[in-house]
Amino acid sequence: SSGINAEWPLRPGEIAMLVSSQTCRAFQTNTAPDSFFFYSTSNERNYVKIDNLRSNKIVATFTLELKVSTLSEKGVLFYTRSDKAKDILLKFDGSGVTLVINLGREPFQVVSDVVINDGRIHKVTVIRQLYSFTLVVDDSTSTGLFSESTSVPLFILDDNGICIAGAPDDIMQNTDLGFNPSFVGCISDIRLNQIYYSPSSSSLSVVGQVPACLAGPELSTSHYFNGAASIVPDIEISGTDLVEINFRSSRQTGLILTILDSSNATALQLTLNNTEVLVVSSDESAGLVVSQDNPMYFCDGVTHTLRVQLDGTSAVVSVDEGEERVTVAITPDSRGLRLGDRFTGCMEDPLINGVPASLSNPRINSGVMLYSCPSAQFK
């Protein structure tokens, strides 16, 4: 039977048959209710905004609560600005969470050393009581006192309201504030002064595309490829290395791995080719890895492993634990890798001789969303 082509991740509750020439098995993404999945890029801003607020809600006292799960290096969880360039923001990085308060005098900070960018779900609460600010991250509490003041600093909201996980372009361009143009994360259970804000709340505006998060306790540490993205990790390989790629594909076809020579030209390419793997080298040697017993379905929700054993002037390619192998001639000066290009799905860090090679600081990243693959529930 035939189905529809669909991009991954799917939208909330969507069921699709991901198809090229062969029919893939259906899968469904289970979404967490009242949650928001943020995946801003350098060209696209995606965030939500609590608006239509009366200014007195955060002039002197307020409590803001949320839960967050992220693997991003840094980011801003919420930001609000007054009509007189006063602002309050909550940001995080690898050392913890920081509440920054600028009420017209010298800015001050309240800091928690609880690290939240580990993919787990963390609860963060910000409380203001006149001059006192309290930051609670999970079970850790930090307090700061806004001193040298004879009156409560006014904080009249401008039209931006309270922005969650982003802000308008003119604000996000200020990297000193701690914004991350490639922030990826899941935020849920947003409450301001005990008022609960869900995707259906009338006073919550969505800027860009903010779908629901997928159900599950953690974000995946694998990387998302959108069908046109590719990445060149900052690693070198030798002519005798074993290269392993663990991946989940949403299509039966796609260029998944290119081995580069010392001049960055293509030495070997591996492409998912319906129920086979097509292997082509620059020496005009080609072959197919074919399962003799059962067709290989790559878009079945299962993690598959592609192995390339280099041996000087040849490469031996295999898939998963199957006994099928194909050997092709290859240039002996293989030096690097390019992952993706025409691949849609998730890929873990490549293994070189069994050791993970990090993609965190690649030589080139053309659109790959690092550490952001959802954990889909497959049927």
Side-chain angles (χ1 to χ4, degrees):
S1 62
S2 63
I4 63 171
N5 288 320
E7 294 297 329
W8 196 24
L10 301 178
R11 293 300 181 229
E14 183 177 5
I15 303 176
M17 295 292 290
L18 300 176
V19 180
S20 57
S21 299
Q22 298 288 333
T23 300
C24 294
R25 301 176 188 177
F27 70 85
Q28 179 179 10
T29 56
N30 297 327
T31 56
D34 297 343
S35 62
F36 305 89
F37 182 64
F38 300 94
Y39 55 99
S40 290
T41 68
S42 57
N43 299 319
E44 183 180 11
R45 304 286 184 248
N46 301 297
Y47 62 96
V48 297
K49 180 180 68 171
I50 303 175
D51 46 22
N52 299 324
L53 290 171
R54 292 183 178 180
S55 297
N56 60 8
K57 284 195 174 181
I58 63 169
V59 166
T61 63
F62 72 88
T63 299
L64 179 67
E65 305 167 84
L66 55 81
K67 292 181 180 178
V68 59
S69 173
T70 183
L71 287 157
S72 292
E73 179 184 5
K74 64 178 182 178
V76 172
L77 299 179
F78 87 84
Y79 176 89
T80 185
R81 180 176 62 184
S82 78
D83 60 344
K84 296 183 179 179
K86 302 171 184 177
D87 51 46
I88 302 173
L89 68 90
L90 182 67
K91 63 181 181 179
F92 71 90
D93 58 21
S95 63
V97 183
T98 302
L99 177 66
V100 181
I101 304 102
N102 173 19
L103 299 180
R105 299 176 177 84
E106 187 70 22
F108 76 103
Q109 300 180 347
V110 181
V111 179
S112 170
D113 60 2
V114 178
V115 175
I116 66 169
N117 57 346
D118 57 3
R120 297 184 175 91
I121 296 175
H122 297 272
K123 182 178 180 180
V124 182
T125 303
V126 174
I127 304 169
R128 179 184 182 184
Q129 294 287 343
L130 298 179
Y131 307 110
S132 175
F133 286 84
T134 301
L135 172 61
V136 183
V137 183
D138 297 332
D139 297 323
S140 175
T141 300
S142 305
T143 301
L145 186 64
F146 192 88
S147 58
E148 300 179 3
S149 175
T150 57
S151 62
V152 178
L154 293 178
F155 198 89
I156 310 299
L157 283 174
D158 66 6
D159 292 337
N160 288 309
I162 296 180
C163 300
I164 306 293
D169 282 343
D170 63 322
I171 298 172
M172 286 197 69
Q173 289 173 1
N174 185 351
T175 56
D176 292 338
L177 291 175
F179 283 98
N180 179 1
S182 57
F183 170 75
V184 176
C186 179
I187 294 179
S188 63
D189 295 334
I190 301 172
R191 289 178 170 84
L192 177 62
N193 296 337
Q194 303 303 314
I195 298 176
Y196 187 76
Y197 291 88
S198 71
S200 60
S201 298
S202 60
S203 57
L204 193 74
S205 300
V206 176
V207 180
Q209 300 292 323
V210 185
C213 300
L214 293 169
E218 300 182 4
L219 293 180
S220 168
T221 56
S222 55
H223 317 289
Y224 178 62
F225 293 72
N226 64 7
S230 64
I231 191 168
V232 178
D234 188 18
I235 58 175
E236 286 195 5
I237 60 175
S238 72
T240 57
D241 282 341
L242 171 63
V243 179
E244 296 174 279
I245 305 296
N246 294 308
F247 67 93
R248 288 186 300 151
S249 179
S250 67
R251 294 183 179 174
Q252 280 291 105
T253 59
L255 174 59
I256 189 169
L257 172 64
T258 303
I259 294 181
L260 306 171
D261 64 18
S262 57
S263 62
N264 288 324
T266 297
L268 185 72
Q269 284 191 329
L270 281 71
T271 303
L272 305 183
N273 185 43
N274 296 316
T275 57
E276 309 160 333
V277 175
L278 176 63
V279 184
V280 180
S281 76
S282 59
D283 289 348
E284 299 183 354
S285 177
L288 287 172
V289 181
V290 180
S291 174
Q292 301 299 326
D293 299 324
N294 298 295
M296 290 185 287
Y297 289 106
F298 300 111
C299 52
D300 54 2
V302 176
T303 297
H304 295 275
T305 302
L306 195 62
R307 294 181 178 85
V308 182
Q309 176 64 69
L310 301 176
D311 186 16
T313 59
S314 66
V316 180
V317 180
S318 61
V319 180
D320 297 333
E321 299 302 326
E323 297 181 358
E324 293 76 15
R325 304 281 191 277
V326 64
T327 302
V328 297
I330 187 174
T331 177
D333 69 338
S334 302
R335 290 293 181 267
L337 304 176
R338 182 172 67 244
L339 305 176
D341 198 2
R342 294 189 297 276
F343 168 72
T344 305
C346 293
M347 197 181 303
E348 298 175 6
D349 286 343
L351 300 175
I352 310 299
N353 298 323
V355 179
S358 174
L359 301 187
S360 296
N361 296 293
R363 296 174 187 171
I364 302 172
N365 185 354
S366 301
V368 176
M369 294 171 60
L370 300 178
Y371 308 108
S372 62
C373 272
S375 299
Q377 300 294 324
F378 290 85
K379 301 295 184 180

